[in-house]
Each structure stands twice: as structure tokens, then as C-alpha cells.
Amino acid sequence: MKTKILSILQVSILMFLSTLSITAQHSSFNLNREIQLTGESNTFEISIPIAPGLKQLGITVSSSIWQGDISIELYDPRKKKIGNYSVGTQVDDKTDPEKSRFSKPKETVEGRIVKVFENPIPGDWKVTIKTEKSKGHVNISTTSNE
Amino acid sequence: MWIYIRGVSVLLIPIFLTTNIQCQITGQLDVDSSWQKFVFLSQIPSMNDMYTMSSNMIIDKVRIDSQGYFSIKTTFLPKKDGLYRIHLSKVGSPPASLIIGGQDENHLFIMAHRHSQFNIKSLGRTATLFDSLEITNSPDNDKLLMINKITELEENREITGTPLKRDLISKAVNEKLRTIADTSENPLVSLYAIYQSSFEANYTAHREFYEQYLQKWENEKSLYFDIFRKQIDLRNPAHSLHYVWIALLFFGIGILTTLYIFPTIKRKHPIHDLSIQERKIFKLLQSGKSNKEISEECNIGISTVKSHVSNIYTKLNIKSRKEAMDINHK
């Protein structure tokens, strides 16, 4: 009987904690996305949908490339540019460090933009990424608090 | 004589040395262990490239000593003022790395030329590397710092609130930057303020200001201004109107060509499509000859004449001898 009560209690606690964690996930969302660039020229647009009532939004876009050029632009839902940067390499480097652990690119260029907004405008915030024969990767991460 | 030369040398050498030593940007930064102990100097070719990073933009690299001091010689820089970026890289990051915003923001824009000599000093430990600085001996660079501070107000989380309040702050900040641009005597400082005022978004609302601004600096010869002029020109609706006028002109030429030139070509065209024999028969047709007469004159069979006549009718898009006689083939 005692064991039965204990196991019921354990299940109840587990369910209670699960509910808490789901509620916590509801009050904030975090996006974390990595885009691998394999030498093509392309334009990507990443949407970050923001619901009304959000207290804070943090957007970080970072990139590291060893071939080509890349431009990053950030726009708010009113299409106002809120930040941008571009990085480019000079050496036409054929080395691919992801294929061989012993190869090291001759030249790497890094860029990062960090923006934090209080009471962000609800709607689609956008990150546009333009690549020109780029090899490397881009990371987009957001943090938010309701 | 030797005594004279030695005397002049003794006088000149210190002057030469002092001049060269003084032409440098010195500074002291509060750099912790997460940063590499180097300062990189990049040349910014246009205001649009302020947030562009590549290895070929880096023109100098100097070491930061244990006390945080560094010095960059300016003797290799052009005589005219230019925009430069000083930056540091994080440990493990490549020299060409740019961080915008956040606690790790790693760069500062400065103006310099061949004879620049000023000092950048960090005013104690702050949230970011270049957060709180003092620039001595360069009022123009001091103004750039002031412009940066004003621009930062727009993103200051402590004073921004609702979107409406943020809009008002943004408008006030841009207005202030335009005032600085308007009153600044240094063209580069002025243009720096313009670019920080997000002029691309505000151009339509303040077109008169930008037109007057261009007039004010019309004699300023620099790549920075050339690029700015082009950007303004592209945004100017009058510029778009030029294209409309050109398009209308070509449209008119197109109509005239269709009405007068093409029809002329078309009128000639069907006759030119006839073969030599068909043209000969066509002339005989126009002179009112019958198939039999044509057959005798051309020394060919009647069936061949009929076949030629049929071809002529098709090519000239006619149905009778009368229509053939009405065609003026000249």
C-alpha cells in the first residue's frame, strides 16, 4: 500500500514539474538556427514572429566564413533596417575544414551583431542573409521574455 | 664649413624626429584576458562600408602592452582626412572579426590623416571596450564620439519604452544628428552624422534638407561624398522622372517607326519576295497580258504560267489581275 502511495506521489510530482516546464516554455521562446554555407550564392530570409505583449527580444546573428562574401540585414516588422554587417574573404580558399580535421582555412572572417529590444513591435522580424559563393556558417539565435 | 653643416644637422635631426614621432594615434584601453593584445586599424573606403569587414581593409596591426597602451603611426596615411576603424579581436577569433552591439562590441570609428596625433583613453572599466572614452587633441574625433553617444540613445533600453515612445526618440535623435551635420565645419564629421541619422529611411520626409546639404558641400571632392551624392540621386524622384522622360521618348520613337518606317518597308517587301521570273510575269500581268500571251512571251507552258500567277497572288496577298494592276511596285 505504502509503495502504491509513493508511486502515485512520484507520478503526480512528475506531472506537476512537466506542467511547470511547459508553462515556462510558453512565457518565452528561443530560436536557435544554424545555416551551413556550401559555396553557393543565395538569399535567405528568416522570419522571427513576435506576438504582442513581449517584454524583450534579443537577436544575435553571427557568421564565420572562409570563402566568399556574406551580408546580413535585420528588419523590424515595419521594414525598418535595424542593423547590418557584411564580411568578405580575399583568398579563394579551397580548404574545407569540415571535411578534413587537419586542414585549416587560410583566412577566416567573422561577424556578429547583437540587438536587444524592449517591448518589441509585434509582427514578423526578419533576418536576410545574402551569400556570394560563401563557405562557412551563420547562426541565428533569439531570446525573448514575456 | 663642417662646423656649419654639423650645426644645421644638430638643429634639424631633433625637429625631424619629433615630427615623425608625434604623427601617431596613441591610446590606452582596459583590455581583459578575453581579448587578443593587438589593435587593428582598418581603412573604411565609404560610409556604406562602416560595418563591412575583410582582411584587405586592415592596414595596420600594433601590439597592446601590459598596461593597455598602444600607438599607431599615421605617417603612411593619406594627407586628407579619412574614416578608419580601430578594432580588437577576441581570443580564438581571426583578426578580421567585427562585433556590433552587445558587451563584446569591438570597434571604434576614428578620423585620421598623415599628420594626425591624438590620444584615445578608456575612462575606467566599462561594459564594453569602447563604451567610455576620451579623445584628446582632436576636436573632430571628439565630435564622432558625441555622434556615437547620440546614436546610442535610440537603442538605450533604459529610456526606450513603448513603440510610440521609441519612434519619438528616434525622430529626436535623427533631428539632432541632422543639426550636427548641418553645423559641422568638417565635411567628414558632417557626413558621418548624416549616415548615423539613417538618412535612407528619412530622405523623403526631409528631402529639402538633403538637397540643401548637397548644395552646401558641392565643392567637396572625396569618395565619401561621391558615393553619398549617388545614393541621394538614386533616391531623388526627379532622377526617376528622367527615366520616365527617356522611356516616353523611346515610346514616341517606337510609335513613329511603326507608323512611318515599317509600313514603307512592308509596302516594298511583298514585291521583293517575288523571284526574277515571277517579277517578269507580274509586270506582264500589270500590263494586262493574258496567260497565253505571257506563256508565249516567256517561252513557258501555260500550266507553268498559272503556277507562277498563283504564287504571285499568294505572295502579294491579292486575288485578281485587277488587284495586281493596282499595285504600284515602285
Side-chain angles (χ1 to χ4, degrees):
Chain A
M1 183 67 186
K2 205 177 171 186
T3 7
K4 217 171 186 182
I5 292 168
L6 264 174
S7 60
I8 289 168
L9 255 174
Q10 276 176 344
V11 171
S12 308
I13 290 167
L14 203 71
M15 282 177 75
F16 176 71
L17 288 174
S18 309
T19 319
L20 271 185
S21 89
I22 290 164
T23 318
Q25 275 174 10
H26 243 277
S27 64
S28 68
F29 79 91
N30 296 322
L31 168 94
N32 212 327
R33 196 165 163 183
E34 183 172 299
I35 299 166
Q36 293 294 331
L37 309 170
T38 52
E40 286 166 10
S41 300
N42 224 328
T43 303
F44 308 91
E45 194 174 83
I46 315 288
S47 279
I48 305 162
I50 297 299
L54 204 70
K55 286 269 183 293
Q56 194 186 72
L57 168 71
I59 304 174
T60 303
V61 184
S62 58
S63 56
S64 177
I65 59 162
W66 59 88
Q67 190 180 297
D69 302 281
I70 184 168
S71 297
I72 310 283
E73 289 180 350
L74 271 68
Y75 293 90
D76 73 8
R78 290 180 299 185
K79 290 174 184 163
K80 184 187 173 190
K81 189 155 70 173
I82 47 167
N84 70 295
Y85 75 81
S86 47
V87 291
T89 57
Q90 298 305 306
V91 184
D92 188 16
D93 195 352
K94 301 279 183 266
T95 316
D96 192 342
E98 281 172 8
K99 281 186 184 160
S100 164
R101 65 168 72 176
F102 302 109
S103 58
K104 201 179 168 189
K106 291 182 191 109
E107 182 197 13
T108 307
V109 188
E110 287 181 3
R112 191 202 311 169
I113 186 162
V114 182
K115 293 275 174 184
V116 180
F117 303 92
E118 299 292 316
N119 304 308
I121 307 161
D124 274 353
W125 292 62
K126 293 214 188 305
V127 178
T128 62
I129 304 161
K130 281 182 195 165
T131 63
E132 278 288 322
K133 296 175 183 170
S134 330
K135 281 189 178 176
H137 56 86
V138 180
N139 282 81
I140 302 166
S141 63
T142 63
T143 52
S144 61
N145 286 314
E146 224 172 335
Chain B
M1 180 66 180
W2 279 111
I3 293 166
Y4 176 73
I5 292 170
R6 273 172 62 188
V8 170
S9 307
V10 166
L11 278 172
L12 284 178
I13 288 168
I15 292 168
F16 175 76
L17 285 173
T18 330
T19 317
N20 270 324
I21 288 164
Q22 280 180 347
C23 293
Q24 60 185 5
I25 301 161
T26 53
Q28 189 195 11
L29 295 169
D30 193 8
V31 184
D32 65 28
S33 58
S34 69
W35 297 96
Q36 292 177 33
K37 299 290 182 282
F38 291 103
V39 168
F40 298 94
L41 181 73
S42 301
Q43 190 174 29
I44 310 295
S46 88
M47 297 277 177
N48 292 323
D49 293 315
M50 281 167 63
Y51 300 108
T52 298
M53 173 59 86
S54 73
S55 302
N56 74 331
M57 289 172 85
I58 299 173
I59 54 171
D60 205 7
K61 173 188 175 183
V62 295
R63 191 173 277 281
I64 302 173
D65 72 13
S66 56
Q67 301 295 309
Y69 287 100
F70 68 92
S71 73
I72 305 165
K73 285 209 162 45
T74 57
T75 43
F76 68 99
L77 298 183
K79 276 183 190 171
K80 209 172 174 187
D81 259 335
L83 189 68
Y84 298 88
R85 182 176 56 213
I86 282 177
H87 84 269
L88 275 75
S89 285
K90 281 276 179 185
V91 171
S93 287
S97 68
L98 181 66
I99 305 171
I100 304 158
Q103 291 200 332
D104 289 336
E105 185 157 82
N106 70 339
H107 62 276
L108 168 77
F109 294 104
I110 54 160
M111 273 171 54
H113 55 80
R114 190 173 295 171
H115 304 294
S116 286
Q117 36 185 302
F118 56 87
N119 184 62
I120 302 163
K121 196 184 168 195
S122 171
L123 298 172
R125 191 170 282 269
T126 49
T128 64
L129 261 182
F130 300 106
D131 199 27
S132 184
L133 294 172
E134 182 187 67
I135 296 185
T136 49
N137 203 24
S138 175
D140 290 334
N141 275 301
D142 227 19
K143 267 198 169 173
L144 290 197
L145 282 186
M146 183 183 75
I147 292 166
N148 291 344
K149 286 281 167 214
I150 292 167
T151 313
E152 280 163 18
L153 282 176
E154 208 178 337
E155 291 182 9
N156 190 328
R157 280 187 269 156
E158 283 166 17
I159 61 164
T160 54
T162 60
L164 187 66
K165 190 180 172 189
R166 202 163 39 233
D167 276 353
L168 290 171
I169 293 169
S170 176
K171 276 182 187 168
V173 163
N174 291 332
E175 186 65 47
K176 178 75 183 159
L177 291 170
R178 278 195 297 276
T179 309
I180 294 171
D182 194 28
T183 52
S184 179
E185 286 173 15
N186 184 303
L188 212 53
V189 171
S190 170
L191 198 60
Y192 185 82
I194 287 279
Y195 272 82
Q196 294 294 326
S197 74
S198 44
F199 80 92
E200 285 176 306
N202 298 319
Y203 176 75
T204 323
H206 303 277
R207 210 167 67 208
E208 204 178 328
F209 169 83
Y210 291 106
E211 280 165 5
Q212 284 173 2
Y213 182 82
L214 281 179
Q215 274 179 2
K216 182 185 170 184
W217 295 106
E218 65 183 343
N219 295 323
E220 177 58 27
K221 304 264 181 272
S222 79
L223 188 63
Y224 299 103
F225 269 86
D226 288 348
I227 291 166
F228 176 64
R229 283 184 197 108
K230 273 182 197 161
Q231 273 182 279
I232 284 285
D233 203 28
L234 286 173
R235 301 201 152 261
N236 195 342
H239 187 271
S240 312
L241 267 180
H242 291 163
Y243 285 115
V244 172
W245 283 117
I246 291 167
L248 280 174
L249 183 73
F250 276 102
F251 183 68
I253 291 169
I255 288 175
L256 284 175
T257 313
T258 318
L259 284 176
Y260 296 102
I261 300 168
F262 281 159
T264 320
I265 295 167
K266 271 197 170 178
R267 271 198 298 273
K268 286 177 185 173
H269 196 125
I271 307 283
H272 287 278
D273 278 352
L274 301 180
S275 68
I276 296 167
Q277 183 74 327
E278 284 167 351
R279 274 192 223 180
K280 193 178 170 184
I281 294 167
F282 178 65
K283 272 186 188 173
L284 294 169
L285 272 177
Q286 283 199 311
S287 62
K289 301 262 166 113
S290 66
N291 283 356
K292 199 184 170 193
E293 285 168 325
I294 294 168
S295 152
E296 282 164 6
E297 197 155 317
C298 296
N299 210 14
I300 51 173
I302 289 188
S303 59
T304 315
V305 174
K306 279 181 183 172
S307 163
H308 279 308
V309 170
S310 168
N311 282 342
I312 290 165
Y313 282 10
T314 311
K315 284 181 181 176
L316 298 182
N317 196 24
I318 54 173
K319 286 172 186 164
S320 66
R321 280 184 142 74
K322 193 179 175 302
E323 277 184 65
M325 287 163 88
D326 289 341
I327 292 175
N328 181 8
H329 66 278
K330 284 177 185 176

